[in-house]
């Protein structure tokens, strides 16, 4: 899966249960893989979580036709 800045994602726990939704604000390839993506969680705009790809599910974009 390819994740990039401004992607909307679902944040999951170790069992794949959805915990929250958020937006990727930074991708840092120098961090260890479990902390590569900086995500602002909906409702908690003052904090940033650093998560790995295994905790994120990219949300499909709605396209207006």
């Amino acid at each position: 899966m390819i994740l990039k800045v401004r992607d909307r994602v679902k944040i999951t726990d170790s069992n794949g249960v959805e915990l929250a939704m958020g937006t990727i604000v930074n991708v840092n390839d120098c961090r260890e893989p479990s902390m590569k993506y900086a995500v602002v969680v909906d409702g908690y705009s003052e904090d940033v979580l650093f998560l790995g790809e295994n905790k994120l599910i990219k949300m499909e974009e709605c396209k207006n036709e």
Side-chain angles (χ1 to χ4, degrees), residues 1-13 16-27 36-44 47-62:
M1 168 174 42
I2 297 174
L3 296 170
K4 58 188 183 305
V5 173
R6 294 192 306 211
D7 279 350
R8 294 283 297 152
V9 292
K10 294 179 185 178
I11 300 166
T12 63
D13 66 7
V17 176
E18 182 182 324
L19 299 173
M21 292 186 291
T23 304
I24 296 175
V25 294
N26 189 15
V27 179
K36 180 177 178 177
Y37 299 95
V39 179
V40 173
V41 180
D42 293 355
Y44 297 95
D47 294 325
V48 174
L49 297 179
F50 294 92
L51 302 164
E53 187 174 345
N54 63 332
K55 302 285 185 196
L56 302 173
I57 299 171
K58 184 175 179 178
M59 296 174 60
E60 296 297 321
E61 296 179 18
C62 296

